[in-house]
């Protein structure tokens, strides 16, 4: 299939020009381009139009899971007929294996895998291997080691027969069971879950990794009589099938010959390492390495898998020492297109992953916890990442030096430096006005906090909202307490606040529960708060990461969704970063105002519906209170019915990548099941 863009509106503002220039650059073979799009200019819509124009598989990289989920949902709305998948780290909690020699402390790897995200990862790799109309939205997890795409694709099982009259072609029953085991599927006699199969008489049932569905294969002797797709809950037949494609249950899967060779290589490396420890007189390290590695070898030989098998990935992939691992990018065809969103953050994040991982692995190898080959289970070095880029579009309101340097060297002489600006917003909104005010009371203004309070009071009277950024968490908390004492409805946000609480607080700000939010650096990329008319940046003259040109411009953008948007920078001196940020904002304002005047456009504030996660739960504003009430009055069968309803809602929320809602529903289900057990105790 081809990409087929669905949208109720047409490109406007600077979007048509940006789409045309980006597409022309890709067609001309330019390796790197940058879309410099201001906040609220519709960068994602521009990206979607470019994908539609070039019709190529696309990898979109974002710097965190939340932004990736937001982008994935937007692309799914634009391309409902095509494959838009989500690929991020599948850990809800992850403590990497580590050793601290100073205190002789070994920390074992501890992880909690999110099964739904694991399913989405498998759906992503399967989509990119089986079709071209695919967009994968990924976090930097895409540069981490993944199993060999050749082995993964070679292990795919295609079963024909039944349903449409292909009349019994396909695998014999025992051969099918053997193949499923080789693909890391586990056999069970209980209810089927993803990655498991069940064999009872002439019926074999399999639940694949990428979707909630059961494939039922009905045998007649050694021939397949029928194949069906079943609903995993109701067990009703969804459709009769002519054939079934089943992908491996794990990304690390190898053929028997490759596994045998890998085991020989691991044993050889183990002996080399033991000999080295003996020469160095490291008896404890040698014993430790021998015991652990031999146990892993035994598990792999008998079960085909072991905990931490990824540490032996170099041997299973057949790679040479130091050779980069396979990653998600190796699953794409050679002509794939890459887009890096919020590139000023994402690029540096990609570049910083390798060194931290290397230092930890060196310590483990040195003290006998891992073989030296474990170092090759790693993220890509930045140079290796660059080698895997075919053509790339960086997307940011504030591109960094790397993007500028790369995009000021066009391959074709007829093209200008490839930084395409998208400054005109479809809504006609212009960047906010900026005022610089002194911090100390000797200035014409009172101290920054006293002046800030006066400005907040003005906004409160107009039912408008304010964002305030500080330099530290402690400052945010102290300022919040001080504003509360002054009778202002305020709350703080920083990295110690739980994700769900952050979302609730932002919704409460829009609703008017709070008039002010005080934060550190969370008030930058990805916040969409149209009710905010004032952004105040305290201590704007304290040069550093939080008061760099990029950070200031990004924070200024939070006031660009309301026609009354204004920014106050509290500073006693104009630093280089402040000067450049003001200059760039004024340049954009001048262009935007001229465009509006030329075309007679009256700017309008963005109007966005306020969604409350709590209200999304079964249509109840206070679902947890409803559960407590239910516990006091309901019969067991009523609670069981509610549990089934909420399990369905939880799956639907996860499918939409709304993991916050899914987490709330999961907790409520646990509460209900706990209550249900009380009835069991009474009956006993």
């Amino acid at each position: 299939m081809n990409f087929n863009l669905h949208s109720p509106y047409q490109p406007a503002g600077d979007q048509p020009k940006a789409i045309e220039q980006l597409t022309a650059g890709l067609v001309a073979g330019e390796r790197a381009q940058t879309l410099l799009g201001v906040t609220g200019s519709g960068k994602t819509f521009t990206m979607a139009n470019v994908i539609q124009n070039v019709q190529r598989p696309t990898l979109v990289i974002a710097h965190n899971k939340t932004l990736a989920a937001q982008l994935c949902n937007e692309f799914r709305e634009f391309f409902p007929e095509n494959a838009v998948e989500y690929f991020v780290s599948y850990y809800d909690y992850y403590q990497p294996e580590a050793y601290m020699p100073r205190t002789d402390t070994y920390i074992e790897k501890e992880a909690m895998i999110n099964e739904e995200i694991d399913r989405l990862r498998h759906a992503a790799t399967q989509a990119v291997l089986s079709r071209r109309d695919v967009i994968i939205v990924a976090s930097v997890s895409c540069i981490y080691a993944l199993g060999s795409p050749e082995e993964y694709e070679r292990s795919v099982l295609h079963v024909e027969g039944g349903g449409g009259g292909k009349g019994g072609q396909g695998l014999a029953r025992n051969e099918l069971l053997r193949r499923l085991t080789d693909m890391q599927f586990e056999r069970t006699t209980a209810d089927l879950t993803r990655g498991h199969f069940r064999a009872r008489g002439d019926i074999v049932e399999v639940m694949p990794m990428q979707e909630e569905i059961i494939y039922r294969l009905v045998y007649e002797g050694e021939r397949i009589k029928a194949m069906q797709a079943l609903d995993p809950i109701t067990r009703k037949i969804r459709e009769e099938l002519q054939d079934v494609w089943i992908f491996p249950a794990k990304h690390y899967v190898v053929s028997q010959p490759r596994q045998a060779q890998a085991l020989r290589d691991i044993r050889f490396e183990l002996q080399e390492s033991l000999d080295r420890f003996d020469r160095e007189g490291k008896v404890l390290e040698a014993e430790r390495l021998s015991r652990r590695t031999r146990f892993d070898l035994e598990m792999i030989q008998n079960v085909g898998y072991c905990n931490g098998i990824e540490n032996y990935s170099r041997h299973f992939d057949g790679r040479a020492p130091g050779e980069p691992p396979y990653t998600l990018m190796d699953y794409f065809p050679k002509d794939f297109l890459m887009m890096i969103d919020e590139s000023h953050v994402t690029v540096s994040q990609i570049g910083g992953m390798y060194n931290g991982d290397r230092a930890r692995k060196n310590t483990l190898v040195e003290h006998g916890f891992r073989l030296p080959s474990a170092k090759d289970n790693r993220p890509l070095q930045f140079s290796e990442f660059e080698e895997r880029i075919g053509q790339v579009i960086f997307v940011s309101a504030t591109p960094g030096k790397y993007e500028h340097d790369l995009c000021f060297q066009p391959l074709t002489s007829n093209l200008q430096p490839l930084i395409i600006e998208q400054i005109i917003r479809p809504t006609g909104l212009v960047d906010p006005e900026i005022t610089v005010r002194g911090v100390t009371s000797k200035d014409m203004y009172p101290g920054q906090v006293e002046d800030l309070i006066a400005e907040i009071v003005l906004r409160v009277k107009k039912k408008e909202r304010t964002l305030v950024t500080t330099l530290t968490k402690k400052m945010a908390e102290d300022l919040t307490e001080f504003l509360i004492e002054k009778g202002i409805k305020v709350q703080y946000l920083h990295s110690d606040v739980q994700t769900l609480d952050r979302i609730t607080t932002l919704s409460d700000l829009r609703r008017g529960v709070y008039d002010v939010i005080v934060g550190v650096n969370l008030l930058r990329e990805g916040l969409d708060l149209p009710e905010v008319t004032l952004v105040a940046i305290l201590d704007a003259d304290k040069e550093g990461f939080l008061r760099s040109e990029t950070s200031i411009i990004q924070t200024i953008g939070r006031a660009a969704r309301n026609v009354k948007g204004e920014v106050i920078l509290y500073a006693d001196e104009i630093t280089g970063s402040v000067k450049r940020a003001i200059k760039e904002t004024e340049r954009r304002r001048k262009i935007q105002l001229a465009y509006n005047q030329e075309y007679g456009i009256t700017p309008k504030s963005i109007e966005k519906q306020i969604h409350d996660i709590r209200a999304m739960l079964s249509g109840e504003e206070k679902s947890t209170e409803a559960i407590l009430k239910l516990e006091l009055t309901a019969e067991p069968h009523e609670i069981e019915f509610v549990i089934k309803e909420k399990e369905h809602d939880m799956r639907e929320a996860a499918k939409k990548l709304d993991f916050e809602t899914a987490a709330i529903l999961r907790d409520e289900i646990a509460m209900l099941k706990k209550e249900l057990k009380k009835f069991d105790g009474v009956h006993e």
Side-chain angles (χ1 to χ4, degrees):
M1 293 179 63
N2 291 327
F3 285 106
N4 186 15
L5 177 63
H6 291 252
S7 175
Y9 44 84
Q10 295 298 314
D14 272 348
Q15 290 174 341
K17 178 189 68 175
I19 293 165
E20 181 182 352
Q21 289 180 320
L22 290 168
T23 302
L26 292 172
V27 172
E30 294 298 341
R31 183 174 182 232
Q33 301 178 87
T34 294
L35 174 61
L36 194 163
V38 299
T39 302
S41 63
K43 294 188 288 290
T44 307
F45 185 50
T46 298
M47 295 160 71
N49 275 274
V50 172
I51 294 171
Q52 160 90 350
N53 289 346
V54 299
Q55 293 289 322
R56 285 158 55 183
T58 303
L59 172 62
V60 180
I61 306 179
H63 65 86
N64 63 53
K65 292 181 180 181
T66 304
L67 181 57
Q70 177 183 321
L71 284 169
C72 187
N73 277 324
E74 290 180 26
F75 279 119
R76 283 179 175 177
E77 290 176 1
F78 290 136
F79 297 106
E81 300 169 4
N82 307 109
V84 179
E85 305 294 347
Y86 182 65
F87 188 97
V88 300
S89 169
Y90 54 23
Y91 296 118
D92 278 340
Y93 168 77
Y94 181 66
Q95 169 61 58
E97 181 183 29
Y99 177 67
M100 293 180 288
R102 182 175 296 180
T103 57
D104 190 28
T105 304
Y106 171 70
I107 303 173
E108 192 169 358
K109 174 183 173 181
E110 187 177 350
M112 184 181 298
I113 292 178
N114 185 307
E115 295 295 333
E116 182 60 25
I117 293 180
D118 186 33
R119 180 188 73 78
L120 294 170
R121 285 168 62 94
H122 280 275
T125 52
Q126 292 169 25
V128 80
L129 286 175
S130 59
R131 56 196 298 175
R132 283 187 59 82
D133 61 323
V134 59
I135 300 170
I136 307 297
V137 183
S139 67
V140 294
S141 174
C142 67
I143 71 166
Y144 277 77
L146 205 60
S148 164
E150 288 80 10
E151 289 287 348
Y152 184 81
E153 192 168 15
R154 192 180 296 124
S155 299
V156 174
L157 179 60
H158 183 207
V159 185
E160 297 178 295
K166 285 213 174 184
Q169 300 175 12
L171 294 174
R173 179 181 179 279
N174 289 339
E175 176 64 12
L176 172 65
L177 302 186
R178 186 190 68 78
R179 287 289 304 276
L180 289 172
T181 302
D182 290 344
M183 294 164 64
Q184 301 299 326
F185 280 84
E186 297 181 30
R187 187 168 182 171
T188 182
T189 56
D191 290 339
L192 279 180
T193 54
R194 291 184 308 103
H196 290 75
F197 71 93
R198 181 170 56 202
R200 294 188 294 195
D202 293 333
I203 297 176
V204 178
E205 294 179 334
V206 185
M207 182 176 285
M209 288 298 297
Q210 79 278 14
E211 57 183 330
E212 294 285 339
I213 195 171
I214 294 175
Y215 294 134
R216 172 186 283 171
L217 288 74
V218 182
Y219 276 86
E220 188 174 65
E222 292 300 306
R223 296 163 59 88
I224 297 175
K225 179 181 178 182
M227 292 193 296
Q228 301 155 342
L230 307 181
D231 185 283
I233 305 298
T234 64
R235 308 285 299 181
K236 291 182 179 179
I237 297 175
R238 289 185 180 177
E239 61 177 320
E240 298 285 345
L241 303 172
Q242 294 187 11
D243 65 342
V244 169
W245 290 88
I246 303 175
F247 286 77
K250 299 185 186 298
H251 285 112
Y252 285 99
V253 58
V254 294
S255 61
Q256 287 295 334
R258 180 67 257 171
Q259 177 176 305
Q261 181 60 48
L263 293 176
R264 288 194 293 270
D265 293 343
I266 294 169
R267 290 191 178 95
F268 181 78
E269 185 188 15
L270 172 62
Q271 190 58 52
E272 281 189 328
S273 297
L274 294 178
D275 291 343
R276 175 171 55 83
F277 281 140
D278 286 342
R279 289 194 301 270
E280 297 172 356
K282 295 183 176 180
V283 179
L284 175 62
E285 287 82 352
E287 191 279 331
R288 180 187 288 150
L289 184 64
S290 175
R291 175 166 35 85
R292 160 170 280 201
T293 308
R294 294 186 196 284
F295 176 80
D296 288 347
L297 287 168
E298 196 72 23
M299 288 291 294
I300 294 169
Q301 189 164 358
N302 290 289
V303 181
Y305 200 76
C306 75
N307 289 329
I309 193 172
E310 63 274 7
N311 288 291
Y312 304 105
S313 60
R314 188 213 326 145
H315 297 296
F316 289 110
D317 296 341
R319 291 182 281 127
E323 192 175 343
Y326 294 110
T327 67
L328 176 65
M329 287 183 279
D330 294 297
Y331 283 68
F332 278 86
K334 291 183 178 180
D335 67 337
F336 83 99
L337 172 63
M338 180 184 293
M339 294 181 170
I340 303 182
D341 194 49
E342 302 292 0
S343 58
H344 62 284
V345 177
T346 310
V347 168
S348 58
Q349 194 178 64
I350 291 171
M353 291 294 165
Y354 172 79
N355 289 333
D357 180 83
R358 186 72 171 188
R360 181 175 56 83
K361 293 279 179 59
N362 282 340
T363 305
L364 288 169
V365 170
E366 181 184 346
H367 291 86
F369 290 95
R370 286 293 173 191
L371 292 172
S373 57
K375 297 178 186 178
D376 292 319
N377 168 50
R378 58 175 175 82
L380 295 175
Q381 298 181 48
F382 193 73
S383 59
E384 295 166 345
F385 171 75
E386 289 182 303
E387 291 170 1
R388 283 154 179 74
I389 297 175
Q391 288 184 295
V392 60
I393 296 175
F394 301 102
V395 182
S396 174
T398 53
K401 184 178 184 300
Y402 177 79
E403 297 95 299
H404 276 92
D405 292 346
L406 205 59
C407 294
F408 266 87
Q409 301 172 10
L411 298 176
T412 54
S413 58
N414 62 320
L415 287 174
Q416 296 298 314
L418 300 172
I419 295 185
I420 291 94
E421 292 189 333
Q422 187 168 296
I423 294 175
I424 308 299
R425 297 180 176 89
T427 57
L429 280 169
V430 300
D431 279 22
E433 292 186 5
I434 300 175
T435 304
V436 180
R437 297 186 180 177
V439 172
T440 56
S441 58
K442 66 182 180 182
D443 268 58
M444 60 180 289
Y445 299 104
Q448 61 178 347
V449 175
E450 289 82 357
D451 185 77
L452 173 63
I453 292 173
E455 292 290 343
I456 290 172
V457 170
L458 290 176
R459 268 71 185 181
V460 171
K461 290 178 180 177
K462 300 175 185 177
K463 297 185 178 179
E464 298 169 357
R465 313 286 184 264
T466 302
L467 298 181
V468 182
T469 64
T470 64
L471 284 173
T472 67
K473 298 175 187 176
K474 183 70 165 55
M475 288 173 64
E477 294 173 4
D478 290 346
L479 179 59
T480 299
E481 288 184 18
F482 185 76
L483 293 178
I484 290 174
E485 291 174 3
K486 298 296 182 181
I488 295 171
K489 296 184 294 184
V490 58
Q491 183 56 277
Y492 65 81
L493 282 183
H494 52 60
S495 57
D496 290 343
V497 178
Q498 294 296 318
T499 301
L500 187 56
D501 292 335
R502 293 182 211 169
I503 295 168
T504 302
T505 299
L506 292 171
S507 296
D508 287 344
L509 176 76
R510 297 193 62 202
R511 228 183 267 107
V513 176
Y514 304 116
D515 292 316
V516 182
I517 285 184
V518 182
V520 186
N521 66 335
L522 297 176
L523 305 181
R524 287 170 52 198
E525 301 93 348
L527 285 188
D528 188 357
L529 305 169
E531 293 79 10
V532 170
T533 60
L534 174 63
V535 171
I537 303 178
L538 302 185
D539 301 305
D541 52 0
K542 299 296 189 292
E543 273 283 21
F545 171 71
L546 294 177
R547 296 297 180 263
S548 65
E549 176 189 352
T550 296
S551 293
I552 292 173
I553 292 176
Q554 288 285 345
T555 307
I556 287 170
R558 298 315 109 204
R561 296 180 183 273
N562 193 297
V563 292
K564 300 178 184 177
E566 182 184 354
V567 176
I568 299 177
L569 304 180
Y570 289 98
D572 280 332
E573 63 176 297
I574 305 298
T575 63
S577 293
V578 169
K579 185 177 181 179
R580 290 189 295 273
I582 294 174
K583 182 179 178 181
E584 175 61 16
T585 303
E586 289 301 321
R587 183 185 74 87
R588 296 177 183 181
R589 274 180 60 83
K590 186 176 179 180
I591 295 171
Q592 293 158 351
L593 290 169
Y595 182 89
N596 289 350
Q597 184 176 0
E598 180 180 353
Y599 292 97
I601 297 174
T602 302
K604 295 181 179 179
S605 299
I606 292 174
E607 295 183 3
K608 182 179 178 183
Q609 186 177 355
I610 302 174
H611 294 290
D612 184 355
I613 290 176
R614 293 168 297 183
M616 295 167 65
L617 304 176
S618 305
E620 297 179 21
E621 182 72 23
K622 298 179 180 179
S623 56
T624 303
E625 293 179 13
I627 287 179
L628 296 174
K629 185 177 180 181
L630 177 68
E631 291 176 3
L632 299 174
T633 60
E635 293 296 322
H637 69 279
E638 293 175 315
I639 297 178
E640 288 175 351
F641 178 76
V642 174
I643 288 174
K644 288 181 179 179
E645 276 193 333
K646 290 192 176 292
E647 285 178 339
H648 174 270
D649 292 341
M650 180 178 68
R651 292 191 184 94
E652 289 300 309
K655 285 180 182 177
K656 296 175 183 176
L657 308 183
D658 184 3
F659 297 113
E660 289 86 4
T661 301
I664 294 175
L665 287 163
R666 178 197 61 197
D667 294 343
E668 292 183 352
I669 290 168
M671 290 170 61
L672 289 168
K673 287 183 176 179
K674 185 177 180 180
E675 184 65 21
L676 200 58
K677 285 183 179 179
K678 294 179 182 178
F679 285 98
D680 294 336
V682 171
H683 294 153
E684 289 173 2

